[in-house]
Amino acid sequence: MTSKIQSRLLRRSLLAALVAAAGVLPVAHAQGYPTKPVKVIVTFPPGGVADVLARLVAAPLQDALGQPVVVENRAGSGGNIGGDVVVKSPADGYTLLMSSGGLVSVNPHIYPKMPFDPAKDLSPVASVARVAVFLVVKPALPVANAREFVSYMKANPGKLSYGSPGNGSSPHLATEMLKSMTGTFSVHVPYRGAAPALNDLLAGQIDFAFDPGIALPHVRANRLKLLAIGSPKRSPLFPDVPTVDEATGLKGFDADSYFGFYAPAGTPPAVVARLNTEINKILGSQSAKDRIAALGGEAAPMTPQQFAAKATDDSKRFGALIRERGIKGD
């Protein structure tokens, strides 16, 4: 081998080493992504909103990526258990997290020692849906509307109980917001997900809940009474049902939550961009919009940067409520 050829090969080797050190190789790798199944960790049990949304996206995403997309539920500790699994996974786009925004905008305020730092250890990938919460009560409760409900709570301090998917969940914060703004008290019963809370509400074991949408079929079947919507605007599913603001005069009441996908920090930007593009395409389909609307929500596609900014805004808003109410993690 001539010295000229040896010199050329050496220069190529040095260039390859410099490219790898600069982080260009992960981008090149991302161009072939994915080459194996993608796992989605859901932070709540089967049947809840996060689970429904994950599975809604998983099937068409599997078609778009050409690889299986497997959904796995890891519930507990307000999403921290599932989140911890994801942040400890390789940052290669093959392990994703589906969670409510509470994991990144609420949990740092209620858990003094989290196993990870959501702001540093997770990368927002794609917002999926803005989900409203619906004030539902058991049929036996002697109230016909939200105003009567607030009056009943005031007249019976501590006698009513309400369920939530856990401390710091959007239904929990919605109720604490209502209690704060009305000066009332009711007993919190935390569950490991919205579905178990709904089951006990249907059985009459608890009196009311701010439900994230899975109770709506039971409202239509007259098994529960829907009094108001904890959102700034009415739901197109129930246009005659007022917002909490309209029904009670509690100005600015807004307990909406954003659900979406996250990846371990350090995931190649090209992989994040690919996932964001494919998920946003799915959310643009009428079938996805209809299924999300059936939960009482609306599709909310964003760029990763917009999704991160929304989480920051929610952290400021809910953090103030959490400090005022002294809310702690499970």
Side-chain angles (χ1 to χ4, degrees), residues 45-138:
V49 173
D51 180 68
V52 172
L53 292 175
R55 296 178 192 278
L56 180 156
V57 171
L61 184 61
Q62 179 170 290
D63 295 336
L65 297 179
Q67 291 288 342
V69 177
V70 181
V71 177
E72 180 179 320
N73 299 85
R74 293 289 189 96
S77 191
N80 288 346
I81 291 176
D84 195 40
V85 171
V86 173
V87 302
K88 290 178 178 176
S89 300
D92 54 11
Y94 290 98
T95 304
L96 304 176
L97 182 74
M98 157 53 75
S99 176
S100 69
L103 178 64
V104 296
S105 59
V106 172
N107 285 14
H109 299 288
I110 66 174
Y111 292 98
K113 292 184 179 180
M114 287 184 65
F116 59 95
D117 183 343
K120 294 180 179 179
D121 298 331
L122 287 173
S123 293
V125 172
S127 167
V128 172
R130 174 175 177 145
V131 177
V133 286
F134 298 80
L135 177 58
V136 290
V137 303
K138 63 183 183 182

Side-chain angles (χ1 to χ4, degrees), residues 116-179:
F116 59 95
D117 183 343
K120 294 180 179 179
D121 298 331
L122 287 173
S123 293
V125 172
S127 167
V128 172
R130 174 175 177 145
V131 177
V133 286
F134 298 80
L135 177 58
V136 290
V137 303
K138 63 183 183 182
L141 208 65
V143 297
N145 54 57
R147 188 174 292 277
E148 289 184 6
F149 175 71
V150 170
S151 297
Y152 189 83
M153 287 209 320
K154 289 181 177 179
N156 296 275
K159 293 184 180 180
L160 297 183
S161 60
Y162 72 95
S164 84
N167 288 344
S169 63
S170 57
H172 179 209
L173 295 180
T175 314
E176 290 301 315
M177 192 181 300
L178 180 68
K179 290 161 62 176

Side-chain angles (χ1 to χ4, degrees), residues 304-319:
Q305 294 76 20
Q306 290 170 331
F307 192 24
K310 177 58 182 170
T312 299
D313 290 343
D314 283 348
S315 178
K316 294 176 182 177
R317 182 164 65 98
F318 288 124

Side-chain angles (χ1 to χ4, degrees), residues 214-230:
I214 61 172
L216 299 184
H218 301 286
V219 170
R220 296 188 184 94
N222 296 317
R223 298 183 65 194
L224 294 172
K225 290 192 288 188
L226 172 58
L227 303 184
I229 299 165

